[in-house]
């Protein structure tokens, strides 16, 4: 690769997860806002089956998911570790030219930083972050621990319960083997402790994938069926009580305790709840930046967002979500270490409003924070 003095960013999109589609849509928005004067970009798409390919075609093909069929612009690739001949890990772009009887030729592309726009399992759960650490490549966002503790809803709640003054919805959690043995006991405990309606969720999934709002005990929309459906996404389930109130989101950028915390934004789903379709398909929701709440409450939410960010070990960037219930009681919901980046997502909108900067400057900050680490 020609030396330009620019930083080379390995941009990952797609992924072997249920959130493949939204990852592609997020990346399309990010790709159009990477500062080309500062960065060279190498786009690498991960297919649903886990194959890695450098993609040199149109970003719009990534958005509409047709990139995987654009064979002329697809090149299999792999990251190789540093060695005696390579001072640092690099990306290998494989070609069809044979150099010997056994192998293929390849081009080496030096990588300075990884920007993972890969939502869900095998992306924001510590997998990509572990790969980056093993190969000694800076990676935007949280490290392994911060990613794991942000992604697993049960671990997240256990950690954040120690934050002074925090409130959370009541919940129970259990593994599939436990439910297989004691289904009636678990269902009974959920109904007694949480009442109806309740939310049944995979413990490890994002983008509201596999979440069910349940209002009755039996039937096709009942507790048992929702649990079985949620188990198709993860082997650990969390069931939470319903909190009536405003849905509030806060964007956070920074490393350690040097943080920028946005004003809270408010989402009105205009649907049963803020599910996957409402977030990424129908876009029926309304968004208010800043949220229509009292200034004192806003400051409390911002302070709690900062504490959550630091408690779970987040880094680089994250979105922290709350509910604002009766009498302005604040409930922490969850945090997302790789929040949605589509053109209708809240994270970038919040940071742009808060700092009076462009989408491009938000992306630049995220990359530079990775290099700073």
């Amino acid at each position: 690769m020609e030396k330009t003095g620019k930083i080379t960013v390995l941009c990952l999109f797609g992924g072997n997860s249920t959130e493949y589609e939204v990852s592609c849509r997020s990346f399309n928005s990010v790709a159009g806002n990477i500062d080309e004067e500062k960065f060279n970009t190498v786009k690498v798409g991960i297919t649903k089956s886990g194959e890695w390919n450098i993609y040199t075609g149109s970003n719009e093909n990534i958005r509409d998911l047709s990139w995987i069929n654009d064979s002329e612009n697809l090149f299999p690739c792999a990251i190789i570790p540093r060695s005696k001949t390579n001072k640092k890990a690099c990306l290998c772009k494989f070609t069809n030219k044979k150099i010997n009887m056994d192998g293929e030729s390849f081009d080496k592309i030096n990588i300075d930083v990884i920007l993972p726009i890969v939502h869900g399992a095998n992306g924001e759960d510590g997998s990509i972050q572990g790969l980056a650490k093993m190969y000694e490549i800076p990676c935007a966002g949280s490290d392994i621990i911060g990613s794991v503790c942000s992604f697993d809803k049960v671990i997240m709640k256990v950690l954040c319960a120690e934050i002074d003054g925090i409130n959370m919805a009541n919940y129970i959690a259990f593994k599939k083997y436990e439910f297989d043995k004691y289904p009636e006991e678990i269902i009974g405990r959920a109904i007694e402790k949480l009442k109806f309606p309740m939310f049944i969720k995979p413990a490890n999934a994002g983008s509201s994938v596999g979440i069910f709002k349940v209002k009755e005990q039996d039937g096709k929309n009942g507790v048992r069926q929702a649990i079985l459906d949620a188990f198709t996404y993860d082997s650990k389930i969390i069931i939470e009580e319903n909190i009536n109130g405003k849905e509030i989101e806060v964007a956070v950028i920074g490393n350690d305790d040097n943080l920028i915390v946005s004003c809270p934004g408010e989402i009105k789903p205009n649907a049963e709840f803020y599910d996957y379709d409402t977030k990424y398909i129908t876009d029926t929701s309304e968004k208010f930046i800043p949220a229509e709440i009292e200034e004192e409450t806003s400051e409390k939410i911002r302070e709690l967002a900062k504490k959550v960010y630091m408690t779970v070990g987040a880094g680089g960037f994250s979105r922290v979500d709350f509910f604002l219930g009766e009498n302005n009681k604040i409930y922490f919901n969850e945090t997302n270490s790789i929040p949605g980046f589509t053109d209708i997502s809240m994270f970038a909108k919040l940071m742009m409003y808060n700092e009076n900067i462009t989408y491009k400057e938000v992306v630049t900050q995220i990359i530079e924070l990775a290099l700073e680490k």
Side-chain angles (χ1 to χ4, degrees), residues 198-323:
M198 63 182 68
F199 283 92
I200 297 177
K201 308 177 180 181
N204 291 274
S207 301
S208 297
V209 170
I211 295 180
F212 303 91
K213 186 175 183 179
V214 178
K215 302 178 181 179
E216 58 190 34
Q217 180 171 351
D218 301 312
K220 66 177 182 179
N221 297 316
V223 177
R224 184 188 305 273
Q225 188 58 52
I227 290 172
L228 294 176
D229 290 342
F231 272 134
T232 64
Y233 297 95
D234 190 33
S235 62
K236 182 163 63 173
I237 299 300
I238 182 169
I239 307 182
E240 298 173 335
E241 71 171 328
N242 177 61
I243 300 295
N244 290 315
K246 295 184 175 184
E247 298 198 26
I248 304 294
E249 298 186 349
V250 179
V252 185
I253 282 183
N255 294 327
D256 301 321
D257 62 350
N258 184 23
L259 305 178
I260 298 171
V261 183
S262 80
C263 67
E266 179 183 349
I267 293 175
K268 291 185 178 179
N270 293 323
E272 186 69 31
F273 67 98
Y274 199 35
D275 60 3
Y276 182 92
D277 283 350
T278 308
K279 284 183 177 180
Y280 302 114
I281 307 298
T282 61
D283 189 23
T284 58
S285 65
E286 296 178 80
K287 300 176 177 65
F288 300 90
I289 301 175
E292 298 175 335
I293 58 179
E294 297 175 1
E295 181 62 29
E296 182 181 356
T297 303
S298 175
E299 287 305 309
K300 287 180 180 178
I301 290 173
R302 293 178 73 240
E303 185 60 30
L304 282 172
K306 181 177 180 179
K307 289 179 178 179
V308 167
Y309 189 92
M310 296 173 67
T311 297
V312 299
F317 66 111
S318 189
R319 195 191 72 234
V320 188
D321 301 345
F322 298 88
F323 295 112

